[in-house]
Amino acid sequence: MSARFDVDTARKDFPILSKPVRGRRLVYLDSAGSAQKPRHVIDSVRDVYENDYANVHRGLHYLSERASARYEEARETVRAFINAPEQHEVVFTGGTTEAINLVAWSYGRSVLGPGDEVLITCAEHHSNIVPWHLVREQTGCVVKAVPVQDDGTFRLEDFARLITERTRVVSCFHVSNVLGTVLPLRDIARLAHAQGAVVVVDGAQGIVHLPVDVQELEVDFYAFSGHKLYGPSGIGVLWGRAELLEAMPPWQGGGGMIDTVTLSATTWADLPDKFEAGTPPIAQAIGLAAAIDYVSDIGIDAIARHEQEVLLYATQRLASVPGLSLVGTAAGKASVVSFVMDCAHPHDVSTIIDQYGVAVRAGHHCAQPLMDRFELSSTARASLALYNTTEDIDILVESLEKVREIFQ
Ligand code: 7TS
């Protein structure tokens, strides 16, 4: 792991960053939406298709064996990255959304009954709200939400108050995709476990900015997507404790997840195959492993330190733009900066600064309950990745000055 991180060198690893946008330098500040890909990932995906591609776990021929071996090596790479105890606890999914749906449909539907409680927070992405609403319709469970303070902070005492003996599941983000707030997962897990509830973590943003050790966090499930971690889209991970996954029924049926099938009955395969029905995202899993290798080579701590420097700079510069308000200023937050301007709607802000090559996301960020809480319909959001620089922030701030000139 390198102690010093050189952002200019790292930027050269990402081919897209040197392509002009509207004739200007690309300032890509939408990595919370999806991150750009380093050449190492792009090359590894191409390499699979050029050299080692076939369906996995089905053929006994050379290419199927090669593809299967690489697919399973990818699982080991993920296991090591999150320090999961066992390789078979790592289930490949299509993304965070599918991973949370797996937990909701399989675990949730089997343990939840009328009046049982699922505790989320008011800042969840819709993918950690809607699956629980769907399961509520089937089970009669109750979905409650932990409130947020004005600065984007969550109070542990609110978790303590809302986790009761009726709570069966606590499902919450690691890093908020709107506020950047980091939740104290281990403290939450201890409160939940004391009441016999399990903890599901939406790690879509957490895995990108923080070192994740699922054993140290003491959580029960951790879900994330490849595409936000510099890997391909269409691949994600659900890690779960073996004893929980083993007791859970499959939620999708098909090839690859069975032990035996007759016309009248099916028995399931062991973990992790039980939860991987159908042809999995093969090249994508291998590409995700390449992304993890890339990130691990630089060092997630070095990346986090760099991002924190740029975040501090961005926070200070944006706070000095007249009429701009930051949404989410919790201490220790990760690299997501949401803001609103008094002179223009976030959609207009985003459209105008796009003319200067600046890509930010504007909208509700799939977190409508959080928007309601702050009485906003949307925000603009600059989200950072390892390749962002203070120069990117300077260009962002200059382009926001243009917005002010237009609207005032
Ligand atoms: N959870 C969080 C916290 C997220 O930020 C996202 C995606 C998801 C879940 C869903 O991930 P997926 O890969 O399954 O789609 N967030 C965003 C975003 O903030 N802007 O675009 C996508």
Side-chain angles (χ1 to χ4, degrees), residues 128-211:
N128 196 23
I129 303 174
V130 184
W132 301 112
H133 283 176
L134 292 170
V135 166
R136 180 179 63 190
E137 280 167 26
Q138 304 238 330
T139 64
C141 73
V142 176
V143 180
K144 291 185 166 178
V146 180
V148 63
Q149 305 304 298
D150 290 342
D151 64 353
T153 308
F154 286 80
R155 297 189 317 196
L156 197 58
E157 57 258 43
D158 285 330
F159 280 91
R161 179 171 55 81
L162 287 161
I163 296 172
T164 71
E165 71 282 356
R166 292 311 312 258
T167 310
R168 301 268 58 87
V169 176
V170 177
S171 193
C172 59
F173 63 84
H174 193 180
V175 170
S176 159
N177 68 320
V178 179
L179 304 166
T181 308
V182 181
L183 284 181
L185 292 179
R186 191 165 49 175
D187 296 334
I188 293 167
R190 288 183 178 176
L191 291 170
H193 291 156
Q195 298 286 3
V198 300
V199 177
V200 184
V201 181
D202 169 355
Q205 302 295 340
I207 196 80
V208 187
H209 303 296
L210 304 169

Side-chain angles (χ1 to χ4, degrees), residues 89 99 117 148 179 275 315 343 402:
E89 296 175 326
E117 294 175 4
V148 63
L179 304 166
F275 293 114
T315 307
C343 62
K402 306 282 186 204

Side-chain angles (χ1 to χ4, degrees), residues 95-340:
T96 307
T97 302
E98 190 184 324
I100 297 172
N101 273 275
L102 191 169
V103 180
W105 285 105
S106 172
Y107 185 80
R109 223 162 24 149
S110 43
V111 305
L112 294 167
D116 284 338
E117 294 175 4
V118 175
L119 185 65
I120 60 174
T121 79
C122 69
E124 298 307 320
H125 188 279
H126 294 164
S127 61
N128 196 23
I129 303 174
V130 184
W132 301 112
H133 283 176
L134 292 170
V135 166
R136 180 179 63 190
E137 280 167 26
Q138 304 238 330
T139 64
C141 73
V142 176
V143 180
K144 291 185 166 178
V146 180
V148 63
Q149 305 304 298
D150 290 342
D151 64 353
T153 308
F154 286 80
R155 297 189 317 196
L156 197 58
E157 57 258 43
D158 285 330
F159 280 91
R161 179 171 55 81
L162 287 161
I163 296 172
T164 71
E165 71 282 356
R166 292 311 312 258
T167 310
R168 301 268 58 87
V169 176
V170 177
S171 193
C172 59
F173 63 84
H174 193 180
V175 170
S176 159
N177 68 320
V178 179
L179 304 166
T181 308
V182 181
L183 284 181
L185 292 179
R186 191 165 49 175
D187 296 334
I188 293 167
R190 288 183 178 176
L191 291 170
H193 291 156
Q195 298 286 3
V198 300
V199 177
V200 184
V201 181
D202 169 355
Q205 302 295 340
I207 196 80
V208 187
H209 303 296
L210 304 169
V212 171
D213 178 328
V214 292
Q215 299 188 60
E216 216 170 83
L217 293 174
E218 299 182 16
V219 298
D220 301 289
F221 296 97
Y222 195 99
F224 65 93
S225 300
H227 68 100
K228 297 186 201 285
L229 188 60
Y230 313 102
S233 56
I235 182 75
V237 168
L238 174 70
W239 168 79
R241 287 186 194 281
E243 66 270 25
L244 292 170
L245 291 174
E246 267 156 15
M248 285 158 54
W251 76 303
Q252 290 181 335
M257 52 73 74
I258 58 94
D259 182 22
T260 59
V261 183
T262 65
L263 286 179
S264 54
T266 305
T267 58
W268 324 131
D270 291 334
L271 291 177
D273 299 4
K274 181 171 75 171
F275 293 114
E276 294 185 3
T279 298
I282 301 163
Q284 291 87 337
I286 295 164
L288 169 59
I292 290 175
D293 287 342
Y294 178 80
V295 164
S296 303
D297 232 31
I298 297 174
I300 191 92
D301 292 305
I303 293 171
R305 268 197 304 278
H306 166 74
E307 288 180 352
Q308 281 295 320
E309 280 172 26
V310 182
L311 175 66
L312 182 65
Y313 185 77
T315 307
Q316 286 167 351
R317 294 260 5 231
L318 286 171
S320 70
V321 174
L324 186 149
S325 309
L326 296 171
V327 181
T329 52
K333 66 178 273 189
S335 308
V336 177
V337 191
S338 284
F339 60 92
V340 289

